[in-house]
Amino acid sequence: MFATRTPSSGSDIAKDDGPRKKEPTKYRWLSLLLLIALIGVTATLLGLEVPRRARSPVNGIQMITSRWGLPSPSTQKALTTWPTDFSRDITPIPCHSHNDYWRRVPLYDALAAGCTGVEADVWLDPALKDDLYVGHTRKSLTPARTLKSLYIDPLLTILNNQNSNNNNNLSSDSSIAEEDTVSGGVFDTSPSTSLTLLIDLKTASASTFPIVLAALQPLLQNNYLTTWTEAKGLVRGPITVVGTGLTDFIPAILSPENSNPRIVFFDAPLPALSSLTLDEDKNDYNTNNSYYASVSYNAEIGKPFLGMMTPGQVRKVRRQVEGAQGKGLVSRYWDTPGWPVGVERGVWDVLVREGVGVLSVDDLVGVRGVWEGVGGGRG
């Protein structure tokens, strides 16, 4: 018979019934140490990065934008560096700052990006002291945001300072006519580049256009505007003013009287330039009366197919761009896709490759890479 052993007490029973306590292993300690090291390295890199991004502005434009909103003496200090440092190291590129007045610092943000065009929606509202106001809708108008305060006065200050040293900052390029280099432009690296001020009339041209002409007189009196006269023809200036929106073509081109020059040029309809039979006397869009030739991309070209422009869309763009080039005008598409970013960049790439005159953009940072990568930074 087999003997059966009966436990005599609880002390004979192994005491391992309960859950074991999990002790940290050497691998867990190693993972923790690696995590701590990674956090330390990241913090170090961020510490090195912050001073680099926060470095002092290197030119007058960047100094003004960095001090915008501070007390005026702080901003005025930026003006003392003219004319040598105002736009140092900024290379102009053919980009048009769409709805420029929406930016944190209108005009200056666009100049800091190198854009050669800015846009202002202009309203005449007699209820607001008969001045020209800038805004997207009538409800957004305020006496603090006028064509004079946002654009005309700042441009006068910029150009007066840029040309204060007897035009010593002008280009020495002998191929540029003397009359075109009387006044240097806003860009130190390219003083012969003209900045386009696109005035989009939101109120009737008959009442608003004469007020626009009057508001531009200070720029004209200082020889800062591109002009056209029968005697001298087209004379390029540091600022080229273009009328669009409700601007009427016929009154615009008939505006010069006697010896008065034409100072506002028309934004011609881009699709018309590749097919329309033009009347030489009445509606021939050319460099004597027009500068831009524009159209809505969305309405004229249409949405990309699966994120890409179709061959038919590309051919249509090519015909229209060539039509503008044949007239000596700067082609421009507004209302291009803005999202997704890949689609936006793809459309920009195609437009630049096809020779579009200027890109109308909201993204002032991304557009530079397109011109430098595809267009070779031309401007």
Side-chain angles (χ1 to χ4, degrees):
M1 295 181 66
F2 297 96
T4 303
R5 186 183 177 202
T6 303
S8 58
S9 66
S11 60
D12 294 325
I13 301 175
K15 297 179 180 179
D16 57 351
D17 307 18
R20 290 177 177 268
K21 292 183 179 180
K22 296 182 179 179
E23 299 293 334
T25 67
K26 62 179 180 180
Y27 299 106
R28 290 192 179 92
W29 279 111
L30 181 59
S31 299
L32 181 60
L33 290 173
L34 289 174
L35 178 60
I36 293 173
L38 180 60
I39 293 174
V41 170
T42 302
T44 300
L45 292 176
L46 288 176
L48 294 173
E49 182 71 5
V50 169
R52 184 184 71 83
R53 290 184 178 275
R55 67 183 185 272
S56 298
V58 297
N59 58 49
I61 294 178
Q62 292 167 334
M63 192 176 295
I64 289 170
T65 57
S66 69
R67 298 181 181 185
W68 194 260
L70 297 177
S72 57
S74 177
T75 302
Q76 288 297 323
K77 184 178 179 181
L79 308 183
T80 63
T81 60
W82 266 306
T84 56
D85 295 327
F86 176 69
S87 57
R88 186 179 67 190
D89 298 330
I90 296 176
T91 302
I93 58 174
C95 72
H96 170 87
S97 180
H98 175 242
N99 289 343
D100 180 77
Y101 50 88
W102 273 349
R103 305 198 183 280
R104 190 181 73 88
V105 190
L107 178 63
Y108 291 101
D109 277 348
L111 295 181
C115 279
T116 56
V118 294
E119 174 181 338
D121 291 353
V122 173
W123 305 70
L124 178 65
D125 192 341
L128 295 175
K129 299 182 180 179
D130 202 31
D131 206 344
L132 295 171
Y133 294 87
V134 175
H136 197 62
T137 62
R138 188 177 291 276
K139 291 182 179 180
S140 68
L141 304 183
T142 167
R145 298 171 65 84
T146 67
L147 183 65
K148 183 177 187 294
S149 65
L150 292 184
Y151 295 97
I152 294 177
D153 284 351
L155 286 171
L156 273 171
T157 301
I158 292 170
L159 292 171
N160 284 341
N161 282 281
Q162 288 288 85
N163 294 284
S164 62
N165 285 351
N166 298 321
N167 300 321
N168 288 334
N169 60 330
L170 293 180
S171 171
S172 59
D173 187 351
S174 60
S175 66
I176 300 175
E178 180 181 353
E179 59 196 5
D180 292 332
T181 60
V182 171
S183 299
V186 299
F187 296 107
D188 291 320
T189 59
S190 183
S192 62
T193 294
S194 186
L195 177 74
T196 304
L197 174 59
L198 181 68
I199 296 179
D200 188 344
L201 293 192
K202 296 299 183 182
T203 48
S205 183
S207 58
T208 311
F209 192 75
I211 309 299
V212 170
L213 293 178
L216 294 171
Q217 291 306 304
L219 290 169
L220 175 63
Q221 291 165 3
N222 284 276
N223 297 319
Y224 292 151
L225 295 182
T226 294
T227 61
W228 181 89
T229 60
E230 287 283 359
K232 293 184 177 181
L234 186 68
V235 178
R236 294 289 183 194
I239 307 295
T240 299
V241 181
V242 179
T244 190
L246 295 180
T247 303
D248 289 333
F249 178 62
I250 298 301
I253 67 170
L254 296 180
S255 60
E257 297 178 2
N258 300 324
S259 59
N260 295 331
R262 176 174 299 132
I263 60 175
V264 178
F265 296 80
F266 198 64
D267 185 15
L270 181 58
L273 301 185
S274 59
S275 60
L276 187 64
T277 300
L278 300 172
D279 187 318
E280 291 293 333
D281 295 324
K282 294 183 179 180
N283 62 352
D284 184 9
Y285 306 108
N286 56 57
T287 56
N288 293 340
N289 54 52
S290 304
Y291 183 76
Y292 275 159
S294 308
V295 72
S296 164
Y297 177 95
N298 187 48
E300 181 69 15
I301 306 301
K303 297 185 181 301
F305 179 71
L306 297 178
M308 300 178 63
M309 291 180 65
T310 66
Q313 289 175 324
V314 175
R315 287 193 297 270
K316 191 171 188 178
V317 166
R318 185 177 301 143
R319 288 196 302 270
Q320 293 180 350
V321 168
E322 289 176 349
Q325 290 173 341
K327 290 289 183 179
L329 305 182
V330 178
S331 54
R332 179 180 72 99
Y333 289 94
W334 50 276
D335 196 21
T336 57
W339 188 88
V341 174
V343 175
E344 176 188 57
R345 299 295 193 274
V347 169
W348 287 355
D349 287 344
V350 173
L351 292 179
V352 173
R353 281 199 301 267
E354 294 302 324
V356 73
V358 66
L359 287 177
S360 182
V361 302
D362 296 302
D363 180 3
L364 298 181
V365 176
V367 68
R368 176 166 289 279
V370 174
W371 279 109
E372 291 175 346
V374 179
R378 64 182 184 175

PDB file of all heavy atoms in Angstrom, residues 120-124 138 198-210 212 242-252 264 266-267:
ATOM      1  N   ALA A 120      -5.033  95.890 -53.837  1.00  0.00           N
ATOM      2  CA  ALA A 120      -5.902  96.562 -52.878  1.00  0.00           C
ATOM      3  C   ALA A 120      -7.302  96.703 -53.459  1.00  0.00           C
ATOM      4  O   ALA A 120      -7.465  97.215 -54.571  1.00  0.00           O
ATOM      5  CB  ALA A 120      -5.340  97.941 -52.531  1.00  0.00           C
ATOM      6  N   ASP A 121      -8.308  96.215 -52.731  1.00  0.00           N
ATOM      7  CA  ASP A 121      -9.705  96.427 -53.104  1.00  0.00           C
ATOM      8  C   ASP A 121     -10.113  97.814 -52.609  1.00  0.00           C
ATOM      9  O   ASP A 121     -10.042  98.096 -51.405  1.00  0.00           O
ATOM     10  CB  ASP A 121     -10.593  95.365 -52.467  1.00  0.00           C
ATOM     11  CG  ASP A 121     -10.371  93.989 -53.066  1.00  0.00           C
ATOM     12  OD1 ASP A 121      -9.628  93.881 -54.055  1.00  0.00           O
ATOM     13  OD2 ASP A 121     -10.933  92.997 -52.538  1.00  0.00           O
ATOM     14  N   VAL A 122     -10.537  98.673 -53.510  1.00  0.00           N
ATOM     15  CA  VAL A 122     -10.739 100.093 -53.192  1.00  0.00           C
ATOM     16  C   VAL A 122     -12.212 100.473 -53.343  1.00  0.00           C
ATOM     17  O   VAL A 122     -12.855 100.153 -54.349  1.00  0.00           O
ATOM     18  CB  VAL A 122      -9.850 100.970 -54.100  1.00  0.00           C
ATOM     19  CG1 VAL A 122     -10.168 102.445 -53.902  1.00  0.00           C
ATOM     20  CG2 VAL A 122      -8.373 100.700 -53.803  1.00  0.00           C
ATOM     21  N   TRP A 123     -12.710 101.183 -52.323  1.00  0.00           N
ATOM     22  CA  TRP A 123     -14.098 101.617 -52.277  1.00  0.00           C
ATOM     23  C   TRP A 123     -14.164 103.133 -52.087  1.00  0.00           C
ATOM     24  O   TRP A 123     -13.372 103.695 -51.332  1.00  0.00           O
ATOM     25  CB  TRP A 123     -14.828 100.979 -51.101  1.00  0.00           C
ATOM     26  CG  TRP A 123     -14.778  99.478 -51.033  1.00  0.00           C
ATOM     27  CD1 TRP A 123     -13.671  98.712 -50.738  1.00  0.00           C
ATOM     28  CD2 TRP A 123     -15.853  98.583 -51.232  1.00  0.00           C
ATOM     29  NE1 TRP A 123     -14.014  97.388 -50.738  1.00  0.00           N
ATOM     30  CE2 TRP A 123     -15.351  97.269 -51.044  1.00  0.00           C
ATOM     31  CE3 TRP A 123     -17.204  98.743 -51.544  1.00  0.00           C
ATOM     32  CZ2 TRP A 123     -16.145  96.145 -51.156  1.00  0.00           C
ATOM     33  CZ3 TRP A 123     -18.005  97.618 -51.660  1.00  0.00           C
ATOM     34  CH2 TRP A 123     -17.476  96.322 -51.471  1.00  0.00           C
ATOM     35  N   LEU A 124     -15.131 103.744 -52.759  1.00  0.00           N
ATOM     36  CA  LEU A 124     -15.442 105.155 -52.503  1.00  0.00           C
ATOM     37  C   LEU A 124     -16.747 105.192 -51.726  1.00  0.00           C
ATOM     38  O   LEU A 124     -17.782 104.722 -52.198  1.00  0.00           O
ATOM     39  CB  LEU A 124     -15.593 105.922 -53.819  1.00  0.00           C
ATOM     40  CG  LEU A 124     -15.975 107.402 -53.684  1.00  0.00           C
ATOM     41  CD1 LEU A 124     -14.866 108.177 -52.988  1.00  0.00           C
ATOM     42  CD2 LEU A 124     -16.273 107.991 -55.061  1.00  0.00           C
ATOM     43  N   ARG A 138     -17.833  95.934 -47.937  1.00  0.00           N
ATOM     44  CA  ARG A 138     -18.165  97.267 -47.438  1.00  0.00           C
ATOM     45  C   ARG A 138     -18.197  97.286 -45.907  1.00  0.00           C
ATOM     46  O   ARG A 138     -17.807  98.273 -45.273  1.00  0.00           O
ATOM     47  CB  ARG A 138     -19.514  97.719 -48.013  1.00  0.00           C
ATOM     48  CG  ARG A 138     -19.850  99.160 -47.715  1.00  0.00           C
ATOM     49  CD  ARG A 138     -21.166  99.552 -48.365  1.00  0.00           C
ATOM     50  NE  ARG A 138     -21.070  99.596 -49.811  1.00  0.00           N
ATOM     51  CZ  ARG A 138     -20.628 100.641 -50.515  1.00  0.00           C
ATOM     52  NH1 ARG A 138     -20.217 101.718 -49.881  1.00  0.00           N
ATOM     53  NH2 ARG A 138     -20.603 100.596 -51.830  1.00  0.00           N
ATOM     54  N   LEU A 198      -2.004  96.965 -57.930  1.00  0.00           N
ATOM     55  CA  LEU A 198      -3.270  96.624 -58.585  1.00  0.00           C
ATOM     56  C   LEU A 198      -4.414  97.192 -57.750  1.00  0.00           C
ATOM     57  O   LEU A 198      -4.627  96.783 -56.602  1.00  0.00           O
ATOM     58  CB  LEU A 198      -3.417  95.112 -58.719  1.00  0.00           C
ATOM     59  CG  LEU A 198      -4.698  94.623 -59.416  1.00  0.00           C
ATOM     60  CD1 LEU A 198      -4.682  95.008 -60.888  1.00  0.00           C
ATOM     61  CD2 LEU A 198      -4.862  93.115 -59.258  1.00  0.00           C
ATOM     62  N   ILE A 199      -5.160  98.123 -58.335  1.00  0.00           N
ATOM     63  CA  ILE A 199      -6.287  98.740 -57.656  1.00  0.00           C
ATOM     64  C   ILE A 199      -7.567  98.127 -58.202  1.00  0.00           C
ATOM     65  O   ILE A 199      -7.923  98.346 -59.366  1.00  0.00           O
ATOM     66  CB  ILE A 199      -6.272 100.266 -57.841  1.00  0.00           C
ATOM     67  CG1 ILE A 199      -5.031 100.855 -57.173  1.00  0.00           C
ATOM     68  CG2 ILE A 199      -7.541 100.894 -57.286  1.00  0.00           C
ATOM     69  CD1 ILE A 199      -4.902 102.362 -57.325  1.00  0.00           C
ATOM     70  N   ASP A 200      -8.236  97.336 -57.367  1.00  0.00           N
ATOM     71  CA  ASP A 200      -9.457  96.641 -57.745  1.00  0.00           C
ATOM     72  C   ASP A 200     -10.645  97.495 -57.298  1.00  0.00           C
ATOM     73  O   ASP A 200     -11.002  97.516 -56.115  1.00  0.00           O
ATOM     74  CB  ASP A 200      -9.484  95.264 -57.067  1.00  0.00           C
ATOM     75  CG  ASP A 200     -10.632  94.384 -57.553  1.00  0.00           C
ATOM     76  OD1 ASP A 200     -11.573  94.926 -58.169  1.00  0.00           O
ATOM     77  OD2 ASP A 200     -10.586  93.166 -57.304  1.00  0.00           O
ATOM     78  N   LEU A 201     -11.234  98.227 -58.257  1.00  0.00           N
ATOM     79  CA  LEU A 201     -12.353  99.108 -57.918  1.00  0.00           C
ATOM     80  C   LEU A 201     -13.589  98.298 -57.556  1.00  0.00           C
ATOM     81  O   LEU A 201     -14.035  97.437 -58.323  1.00  0.00           O
ATOM     82  CB  LEU A 201     -12.683 100.050 -59.078  1.00  0.00           C
ATOM     83  CG  LEU A 201     -11.651 101.116 -59.448  1.00  0.00           C
ATOM     84  CD1 LEU A 201     -12.278 102.119 -60.401  1.00  0.00           C
ATOM     85  CD2 LEU A 201     -11.090 101.819 -58.231  1.00  0.00           C
ATOM     86  N   LYS A 202     -14.150  98.597 -56.385  1.00  0.00           N
ATOM     87  CA  LYS A 202     -15.355  97.926 -55.921  1.00  0.00           C
ATOM     88  C   LYS A 202     -16.589  98.816 -56.022  1.00  0.00           C
ATOM     89  O   LYS A 202     -17.704  98.361 -55.770  1.00  0.00           O
ATOM     90  CB  LYS A 202     -15.165  97.469 -54.473  1.00  0.00           C
ATOM     91  CG  LYS A 202     -14.073  96.419 -54.299  1.00  0.00           C
ATOM     92  CD  LYS A 202     -14.387  95.159 -55.082  1.00  0.00           C
ATOM     93  CE  LYS A 202     -13.349  94.085 -54.858  1.00  0.00           C
ATOM     94  NZ  LYS A 202     -13.608  92.860 -55.662  1.00  0.00           N
ATOM     95  N   THR A 203     -16.370 100.070 -56.368  1.00  0.00           N
ATOM     96  CA  THR A 203     -17.483 100.993 -56.586  1.00  0.00           C
ATOM     97  C   THR A 203     -17.378 101.566 -57.996  1.00  0.00           C
ATOM     98  O   THR A 203     -16.349 101.442 -58.655  1.00  0.00           O
ATOM     99  CB  THR A 203     -17.478 102.124 -55.534  1.00  0.00           C
ATOM    100  OG1 THR A 203     -16.157 102.681 -55.421  1.00  0.00           O
ATOM    101  CG2 THR A 203     -17.893 101.597 -54.168  1.00  0.00           C
ATOM    102  N   ALA A 204     -18.431 102.189 -58.452  1.00  0.00           N
ATOM    103  CA  ALA A 204     -18.553 102.608 -59.851  1.00  0.00           C
ATOM    104  C   ALA A 204     -17.332 103.386 -60.327  1.00  0.00           C
ATOM    105  O   ALA A 204     -16.857 104.312 -59.656  1.00  0.00           O
ATOM    106  CB  ALA A 204     -19.819 103.439 -60.027  1.00  0.00           C
ATOM    107  N   SER A 205     -16.856 103.030 -61.504  1.00  0.00           N
ATOM    108  CA  SER A 205     -15.661 103.654 -62.058  1.00  0.00           C
ATOM    109  C   SER A 205     -15.872 105.146 -62.313  1.00  0.00           C
ATOM    110  O   SER A 205     -14.966 105.951 -62.080  1.00  0.00           O
ATOM    111  CB  SER A 205     -15.269 102.960 -63.363  1.00  0.00           C
ATOM    112  OG  SER A 205     -14.078 103.494 -63.892  1.00  0.00           O
ATOM    113  N   ALA A 206     -17.063 105.526 -62.757  1.00  0.00           N
ATOM    114  CA  ALA A 206     -17.326 106.933 -63.097  1.00  0.00           C
ATOM    115  C   ALA A 206     -17.075 107.855 -61.911  1.00  0.00           C
ATOM    116  O   ALA A 206     -16.556 108.968 -62.077  1.00  0.00           O
ATOM    117  CB  ALA A 206     -18.765 107.090 -63.592  1.00  0.00           C
ATOM    118  N   SER A 207     -17.422 107.405 -60.703  1.00  0.00           N
ATOM    119  CA  SER A 207     -17.235 108.247 -59.526  1.00  0.00           C
ATOM    120  C   SER A 207     -15.907 107.970 -58.822  1.00  0.00           C
ATOM    121  O   SER A 207     -15.317 108.880 -58.229  1.00  0.00           O
ATOM    122  CB  SER A 207     -18.387 108.022 -58.534  1.00  0.00           C
ATOM    123  OG  SER A 207     -18.465 106.642 -58.159  1.00  0.00           O
ATOM    124  N   THR A 208     -15.416 106.745 -58.888  1.00  0.00           N
ATOM    125  CA  THR A 208     -14.233 106.352 -58.112  1.00  0.00           C
ATOM    126  C   THR A 208     -12.929 106.636 -58.848  1.00  0.00           C
ATOM    127  O   THR A 208     -11.937 107.060 -58.238  1.00  0.00           O
ATOM    128  CB  THR A 208     -14.301 104.856 -57.760  1.00  0.00           C
ATOM    129  OG1 THR A 208     -15.584 104.550 -57.205  1.00  0.00           O
ATOM    130  CG2 THR A 208     -13.226 104.486 -56.756  1.00  0.00           C
ATOM    131  N   PHE A 209     -12.903 106.422 -60.164  1.00  0.00           N
ATOM    132  CA  PHE A 209     -11.660 106.541 -60.917  1.00  0.00           C
ATOM    133  C   PHE A 209     -11.033 107.935 -60.820  1.00  0.00           C
ATOM    134  O   PHE A 209      -9.817 108.058 -60.624  1.00  0.00           O
ATOM    135  CB  PHE A 209     -11.902 106.149 -62.383  1.00  0.00           C
ATOM    136  CG  PHE A 209     -10.642 105.961 -63.178  1.00  0.00           C
ATOM    137  CD1 PHE A 209      -9.848 104.831 -63.013  1.00  0.00           C
ATOM    138  CD2 PHE A 209     -10.228 106.928 -64.086  1.00  0.00           C
ATOM    139  CE1 PHE A 209      -8.683 104.667 -63.738  1.00  0.00           C
ATOM    140  CE2 PHE A 209      -9.065 106.770 -64.822  1.00  0.00           C
ATOM    141  CZ  PHE A 209      -8.288 105.625 -64.648  1.00  0.00           C
ATOM    142  N   PRO A 210     -11.802 109.009 -60.926  1.00  0.00           N
ATOM    143  CA  PRO A 210     -11.187 110.346 -60.784  1.00  0.00           C
ATOM    144  C   PRO A 210     -10.555 110.556 -59.405  1.00  0.00           C
ATOM    145  O   PRO A 210      -9.519 111.233 -59.292  1.00  0.00           O
ATOM    146  CB  PRO A 210     -12.366 111.302 -61.009  1.00  0.00           C
ATOM    147  CG  PRO A 210     -13.347 110.515 -61.814  1.00  0.00           C
ATOM    148  CD  PRO A 210     -13.221 109.111 -61.323  1.00  0.00           C
ATOM    149  N   VAL A 212      -9.210 108.193 -57.603  1.00  0.00           N
ATOM    150  CA  VAL A 212      -7.972 107.406 -57.642  1.00  0.00           C
ATOM    151  C   VAL A 212      -6.863 108.214 -58.313  1.00  0.00           C
ATOM    152  O   VAL A 212      -5.735 108.280 -57.825  1.00  0.00           O
ATOM    153  CB  VAL A 212      -8.192 106.074 -58.379  1.00  0.00           C
ATOM    154  CG1 VAL A 212      -6.860 105.372 -58.638  1.00  0.00           C
ATOM    155  CG2 VAL A 212      -9.111 105.164 -57.575  1.00  0.00           C
ATOM    156  N   VAL A 242      -2.231  99.569 -61.899  1.00  0.00           N
ATOM    157  CA  VAL A 242      -3.127  98.844 -62.797  1.00  0.00           C
ATOM    158  C   VAL A 242      -4.535  98.885 -62.228  1.00  0.00           C
ATOM    159  O   VAL A 242      -4.739  98.657 -61.028  1.00  0.00           O
ATOM    160  CB  VAL A 242      -2.679  97.374 -62.979  1.00  0.00           C
ATOM    161  CG1 VAL A 242      -3.641  96.622 -63.896  1.00  0.00           C
ATOM    162  CG2 VAL A 242      -1.264  97.325 -63.541  1.00  0.00           C
ATOM    163  N   GLY A 243      -5.513  99.184 -63.078  1.00  0.00           N
ATOM    164  CA  GLY A 243      -6.905  99.212 -62.662  1.00  0.00           C
ATOM    165  C   GLY A 243      -7.629  97.952 -63.085  1.00  0.00           C
ATOM    166  O   GLY A 243      -7.511  97.503 -64.225  1.00  0.00           O
ATOM    167  N   THR A 244      -8.393  97.370 -62.156  1.00  0.00           N
ATOM    168  CA  THR A 244      -9.170  96.169 -62.458  1.00  0.00           C
ATOM    169  C   THR A 244     -10.514  96.274 -61.756  1.00  0.00           C
ATOM    170  O   THR A 244     -10.899  97.330 -61.282  1.00  0.00           O
ATOM    171  CB  THR A 244      -8.399  94.897 -62.042  1.00  0.00           C
ATOM    172  OG1 THR A 244      -9.063  93.743 -62.562  1.00  0.00           O
ATOM    173  CG2 THR A 244      -8.273  94.782 -60.536  1.00  0.00           C
ATOM    174  N   GLY A 245     -11.255  95.179 -61.687  1.00  0.00           N
ATOM    175  CA  GLY A 245     -12.576  95.202 -61.069  1.00  0.00           C
ATOM    176  C   GLY A 245     -13.551  95.998 -61.905  1.00  0.00           C
ATOM    177  O   GLY A 245     -13.768  95.678 -63.079  1.00  0.00           O
ATOM    178  N   LEU A 246     -14.114  97.057 -61.340  1.00  0.00           N
ATOM    179  CA  LEU A 246     -15.087  97.896 -62.046  1.00  0.00           C
ATOM    180  C   LEU A 246     -14.445  99.004 -62.860  1.00  0.00           C
ATOM    181  O   LEU A 246     -15.150  99.873 -63.388  1.00  0.00           O
ATOM    182  CB  LEU A 246     -16.078  98.500 -61.038  1.00  0.00           C
ATOM    183  CG  LEU A 246     -16.983  97.492 -60.307  1.00  0.00           C
ATOM    184  CD1 LEU A 246     -17.912  98.210 -59.336  1.00  0.00           C
ATOM    185  CD2 LEU A 246     -17.787  96.656 -61.295  1.00  0.00           C
ATOM    186  N   THR A 247     -13.127  98.995 -62.990  1.00  0.00           N
ATOM    187  CA  THR A 247     -12.458  99.992 -63.827  1.00  0.00           C
ATOM    188  C   THR A 247     -12.918  99.842 -65.274  1.00  0.00           C
ATOM    189  O   THR A 247     -12.845  98.749 -65.849  1.00  0.00           O
ATOM    190  CB  THR A 247     -10.932  99.819 -63.769  1.00  0.00           C
ATOM    191  OG1 THR A 247     -10.499  99.911 -62.409  1.00  0.00           O
ATOM    192  CG2 THR A 247     -10.235 100.892 -64.590  1.00  0.00           C
ATOM    193  N   ASP A 248     -13.406 100.936 -65.857  1.00  0.00           N
ATOM    194  CA  ASP A 248     -13.840 100.912 -67.254  1.00  0.00           C
ATOM    195  C   ASP A 248     -12.637 101.120 -68.170  1.00  0.00           C
ATOM    196  O   ASP A 248     -11.803 101.993 -67.924  1.00  0.00           O
ATOM    197  CB  ASP A 248     -14.866 102.016 -67.522  1.00  0.00           C
ATOM    198  CG  ASP A 248     -16.207 101.711 -66.867  1.00  0.00           C
ATOM    199  OD1 ASP A 248     -16.514 100.527 -66.677  1.00  0.00           O
ATOM    200  OD2 ASP A 248     -16.926 102.675 -66.531  1.00  0.00           O
ATOM    201  N   PHE A 249     -12.573 100.333 -69.236  1.00  0.00           N
ATOM    202  CA  PHE A 249     -11.421 100.412 -70.134  1.00  0.00           C
ATOM    203  C   PHE A 249     -11.373 101.734 -70.890  1.00  0.00           C
ATOM    204  O   PHE A 249     -10.348 102.414 -70.911  1.00  0.00           O
ATOM    205  CB  PHE A 249     -11.448  99.242 -71.118  1.00  0.00           C
ATOM    206  CG  PHE A 249     -10.328  99.265 -72.116  1.00  0.00           C
ATOM    207  CD1 PHE A 249      -9.008  99.174 -71.704  1.00  0.00           C
ATOM    208  CD2 PHE A 249     -10.576  99.368 -73.477  1.00  0.00           C
ATOM    209  CE1 PHE A 249      -7.961  99.189 -72.603  1.00  0.00           C
ATOM    210  CE2 PHE A 249      -9.541  99.379 -74.398  1.00  0.00           C
ATOM    211  CZ  PHE A 249      -8.228  99.280 -73.957  1.00  0.00           C
ATOM    212  N   ILE A 250     -12.477 102.124 -71.507  1.00  0.00           N
ATOM    213  CA  ILE A 250     -12.462 103.311 -72.352  1.00  0.00           C
ATOM    214  C   ILE A 250     -12.111 104.571 -71.549  1.00  0.00           C
ATOM    215  O   ILE A 250     -11.204 105.319 -71.934  1.00  0.00           O
ATOM    216  CB  ILE A 250     -13.804 103.484 -73.098  1.00  0.00           C
ATOM    217  CG1 ILE A 250     -14.048 102.279 -74.027  1.00  0.00           C
ATOM    218  CG2 ILE A 250     -13.801 104.780 -73.896  1.00  0.00           C
ATOM    219  CD1 ILE A 250     -12.963 102.091 -75.073  1.00  0.00           C
ATOM    220  N   PRO A 251     -12.778 104.869 -70.425  1.00  0.00           N
ATOM    221  CA  PRO A 251     -12.362 106.048 -69.650  1.00  0.00           C
ATOM    222  C   PRO A 251     -10.919 105.973 -69.192  1.00  0.00           C
ATOM    223  O   PRO A 251     -10.214 106.985 -69.122  1.00  0.00           O
ATOM    224  CB  PRO A 251     -13.322 106.036 -68.449  1.00  0.00           C
ATOM    225  CG  PRO A 251     -14.515 105.299 -68.940  1.00  0.00           C
ATOM    226  CD  PRO A 251     -13.977 104.248 -69.858  1.00  0.00           C
ATOM    227  N   ALA A 252     -10.463 104.767 -68.898  1.00  0.00           N
ATOM    228  CA  ALA A 252      -9.089 104.619 -68.420  1.00  0.00           C
ATOM    229  C   ALA A 252      -8.089 105.011 -69.497  1.00  0.00           C
ATOM    230  O   ALA A 252      -7.118 105.725 -69.235  1.00  0.00           O
ATOM    231  CB  ALA A 252      -8.842 103.184 -67.954  1.00  0.00           C
ATOM    232  N   VAL A 264      -2.649 105.169 -64.963  1.00  0.00           N
ATOM    233  CA  VAL A 264      -3.304 103.921 -64.572  1.00  0.00           C
ATOM    234  C   VAL A 264      -3.479 103.078 -65.826  1.00  0.00           C
ATOM    235  O   VAL A 264      -4.052 103.544 -66.824  1.00  0.00           O
ATOM    236  CB  VAL A 264      -4.670 104.167 -63.903  1.00  0.00           C
ATOM    237  CG1 VAL A 264      -5.341 102.829 -63.568  1.00  0.00           C
ATOM    238  CG2 VAL A 264      -4.503 104.990 -62.625  1.00  0.00           C
ATOM    239  N   PHE A 266      -4.608  99.275 -67.704  1.00  0.00           N
ATOM    240  CA  PHE A 266      -5.763  98.379 -67.592  1.00  0.00           C
ATOM    241  C   PHE A 266      -5.333  96.937 -67.365  1.00  0.00           C
ATOM    242  O   PHE A 266      -4.233  96.521 -67.761  1.00  0.00           O
ATOM    243  CB  PHE A 266      -6.594  98.479 -68.876  1.00  0.00           C
ATOM    244  CG  PHE A 266      -7.990  97.956 -68.731  1.00  0.00           C
ATOM    245  CD1 PHE A 266      -8.892  98.568 -67.876  1.00  0.00           C
ATOM    246  CD2 PHE A 266      -8.409  96.855 -69.455  1.00  0.00           C
ATOM    247  CE1 PHE A 266     -10.193  98.085 -67.746  1.00  0.00           C
ATOM    248  CE2 PHE A 266      -9.703  96.365 -69.336  1.00  0.00           C
ATOM    249  CZ  PHE A 266     -10.593  96.978 -68.479  1.00  0.00           C
ATOM    250  N   ASP A 267      -6.209  96.207 -66.694  1.00  0.00           N
ATOM    251  CA  ASP A 267      -6.044  94.759 -66.522  1.00  0.00           C
ATOM    252  C   ASP A 267      -6.877  94.083 -67.608  1.00  0.00           C
ATOM    253  O   ASP A 267      -8.085  93.885 -67.466  1.00  0.00           O
ATOM    254  CB  ASP A 267      -6.526  94.352 -65.123  1.00  0.00           C
ATOM    255  CG  ASP A 267      -6.276  92.887 -64.813  1.00  0.00           C
ATOM    256  OD1 ASP A 267      -5.481  92.246 -65.536  1.00  0.00           O
ATOM    257  OD2 ASP A 267      -6.870  92.373 -63.844  1.00  0.00           O
TER     258      ASP A 267
END
